[in-house]
Amino acid sequence: MGIEIRNVRVICTAPEGVNLVTVKIETNEPELYGVGCATFTHRYLAVVSVIEEYLRPFLIGKDPANIEDLWQSIMGMSYWRNGPVLNNALAGVDMALWDIKGKMAGMPLYQLFGGKCRSGIPCYTHAEGATVEQTLERVEALRERGYRKIRVQVGGYGGKNPNLHKPENPFPGAYFDPKAYMKNVLKLMEKLRMTYGDTLDFCHDSHERLSPIDAVNFAKELEQYNLLFLEDALPPEQVEWFRVIRQQTATPLAMGELFNNPHEWRTIVSERLIDYIRVHVSQIGGITPARKLVAFCDAYGVRTAWHGPVDMTPIGHAVNAHLDISSPNLGVQEWADSFTGLYPTLNGPLMQEMFPGMPESRDGYLYLNDRPGIGVDIDEELAKKYPCTESLVSWDWMLARLPDGTAVRP
Ligand code: MG
């Protein structure tokens, strides 16, 4: 008898206060199973429902070897497709199948993808302060820790401005002033270049908050500071504006963490309107479509910078790293280093214990282990001690508002 899928289980856990979703596919061989990341932290129960109610019955009894066929079948079987809930559910399954494939081959995934293109993965992490001065202090701490590429923010997404001119009885929300925000970031960049010259690479995430014409101006103003990239200058709904930005400035552009559907990246890649594709691998459906995206981008000179936030399991981070190390067109990898103290501790002791085998960052580079498959496991008993809760599903900064109270995309 050949190998077949016996069970598909979902493990939800919230170590460090972030809801994470892991898929585990078990086979008829007792020791052979795979794990994948299906984390859509803000709608995690919807993902669980799709996997348990729809994908599990479909997958039981199937041959785990036929990843491409299973991926194509699941993508089509709901007829309506390419949304974040369905894609995350599919991605968790897809990664678990690749994990099984690697274990059956006795090789780490990157070997199946063609082997290493470099010995370590250049990564960047986040420096963020309430003020320009505080951000500078954190940049220095990260530089001393070995980072040479750093994302710099001041005052949270959109910045904090205490002098907002609000209307009476303002709606609740995270108010920000686009003009003050842009000015403050430019001030930060000036200080950083005065302090470090060209010895460090800096990127900045404008988190798609600006109006299109403000984004054009902002990218132009930033050109003098020679960024690694400006991230998410526009929301996905306004990607045609990248043509305007591109015609006016050579500031490198990164885009895509909200993308779900191939239509969203096809034009900006094939017209060479961006420099880095930054999709969230589980949001596009997992390893199978991500490998195709790598090849597609490579043809147009676009490099990868996969989204690497805290709302992703270490399994998902390891998947990023397998893609990174085997892709000729890797740009850089985002890594939420616990050292910053800004975010839940991705690589702190609890995460390392719950997800043994996760990638390790040293001196600004990320390293994978050489275990077969993805190389990361989950301690289910420990995971049970940190249950997910509904109170964790939304974050304050997501209710973004302009000074007059208008809601904007966060
Ligand atoms: Mg981002």
Side-chain angles (χ1 to χ4, degrees):
M1 189 175 151
I3 291 169
E4 63 179 50
I5 295 170
R6 274 290 160 86
N7 202 1
V8 179
R9 297 193 294 113
V10 191
I11 302 150
C12 295
T13 182
E16 309 292 356
V18 178
N19 291 332
L20 302 174
V21 182
T22 298
V23 175
K24 187 165 184 175
I25 295 184
E26 295 163 348
T27 71
N28 55 342
E29 269 195 26
E31 299 298 311
L32 183 62
Y33 62 88
V35 290
C37 180
T39 302
F40 177 2
T41 201
H42 309 292
R43 294 291 182 271
Y44 76 101
L45 288 174
V47 176
V48 172
S49 163
V50 169
I51 296 166
E52 290 183 344
E53 304 295 330
Y54 301 100
L55 304 192
R56 181 176 178 273
F58 171 76
L59 287 164
I60 288 176
K62 297 283 193 307
D63 183 348
N66 298 331
I67 302 174
E68 182 73 36
D69 181 65
L70 291 173
W71 192 93
Q72 298 292 347
S73 301
I74 291 172
M75 178 52 86
M77 67 192 282
S78 60
Y79 188 52
W80 281 281
R81 55 190 180 266
N82 276 318
V85 173
L86 295 179
N87 278 4
N88 268 287
L90 172 53
V93 167
D94 178 75
M95 290 180 199
L97 293 172
W98 275 102
D99 194 26
I100 290 171
K101 178 79 80 189
K103 286 172 177 171
M104 288 176 72
M107 289 182 190
L109 276 196
Y110 69 80
Q111 291 291 6
L112 300 183
F113 299 165
K116 288 185 180 181
C117 290
R118 55 196 65 75
S119 60
I121 300 157
C123 60
Y124 72 89
T125 194
H126 302 182
E128 178 172 331
T131 61
V132 167
E133 290 67 33
Q134 203 175 29
T135 302
L136 276 157
E137 282 168 24
R138 291 181 172 166
V139 165
E140 181 54 26
L142 290 172
R143 192 191 64 80
E144 285 171 9
R145 195 169 159 80
Y147 284 99
R148 293 295 176 267
K149 302 172 194 302
I150 301 171
R151 190 188 86 159
V152 289
Q153 310 285 136
V154 56
Y157 295 133
K160 293 273 184 302
N161 179 359
N163 306 313
L164 289 173
H165 187 60
K166 292 184 191 173
E168 293 171 8
N169 306 314
F171 294 169
Y175 283 73
F176 77 102
D177 175 352
K179 303 283 180 211
Y181 153 68
M182 290 188 285
K183 235 167 128 178
N184 225 9
V185 173
L186 293 168
K187 209 189 299 172
L188 170 66
M189 291 300 173
E190 189 186 1
K191 283 252 170 95
L192 286 167
R193 283 299 175 220
M194 273 166 50
T195 310
Y196 293 104
D198 286 325
T199 60
L200 297 179
D201 283 325
F202 298 110
C203 52
H204 174 73
D205 189 353
S206 70
H207 238 260
E208 54 170 320
R209 286 185 168 217
L210 296 173
S211 71
I213 197 64
D214 276 349
V216 177
N217 269 311
F218 190 44
K220 284 171 68 173
E221 290 286 345
L222 283 169
E223 190 179 271
Q224 62 190 307
Y225 301 116
N226 191 23
L227 293 194
L228 175 64
F229 56 68
L230 171 62
E231 174 180 344
D232 288 357
L234 298 165
E237 295 85 351
Q238 297 294 347
V239 292
E240 291 84 357
W241 276 88
F242 275 116
R243 293 189 184 113
V244 184
I245 298 181
R246 204 60 156 176
Q247 283 160 6
Q248 300 210 27
T249 173
T251 288
L253 302 168
M255 179 65 188
E257 77 184 47
L258 274 89
F259 287 172
N260 296 119
N261 187 313
H263 279 302
E264 293 169 308
W265 61 70
R266 196 169 300 162
T267 301
I268 58 170
V269 171
S270 64
E271 290 189 17
R272 301 169 176 88
L273 302 181
I274 59 168
D275 301 277
Y276 298 89
I277 188 79
R278 257 188 71 66
V279 304
H280 186 110
V281 169
S282 69
Q283 289 284 348
I284 67 164
I287 295 168
T288 297
R291 293 192 68 230
K292 294 171 187 177
L293 182 54
V294 168
F296 179 64
C297 288
D298 191 30
Y300 294 101
V302 172
R303 288 180 279 175
T304 64
W306 308 119
H307 192 217
V310 290
D311 48 326
M312 179 188 276
T313 65
I315 299 161
H317 283 281
V319 163
N320 281 348
H322 282 286
L323 292 165
D324 291 333
I325 201 133
S326 60
S327 298
N329 52 328
L330 163 69
V332 67
Q333 179 58 56
E334 183 182 32
W335 178 252
D337 194 317
S338 65
F339 171 77
T340 62
L342 286 176
Y343 305 99
T345 52
L346 174 63
N347 52 341
L350 175 59
M351 294 294 265
Q352 287 182 6
E353 197 185 343
M354 192 181 294
F355 294 95
M358 65 185 292
E360 288 175 18
S361 66
R362 292 191 293 277
D363 222 20
Y365 285 92
L366 206 56
Y367 298 93
L368 280 158
N369 65 53
D370 273 328
R371 293 176 204 161
I374 294 172
V376 183
D377 212 331
I378 179 167
D379 181 334
E380 294 192 51
E381 288 310 307
L382 186 57
K384 274 186 205 155
K385 293 182 186 161
Y386 298 88
C388 293
T389 66
E390 281 299 311
S391 65
L392 299 173
V393 298
S394 72
W395 298 338
D396 291 349
W397 55 263
M398 294 177 69
L399 297 166
R401 291 190 186 278
L402 294 174
D404 70 4
T406 304
V408 295
R409 305 286 159 83

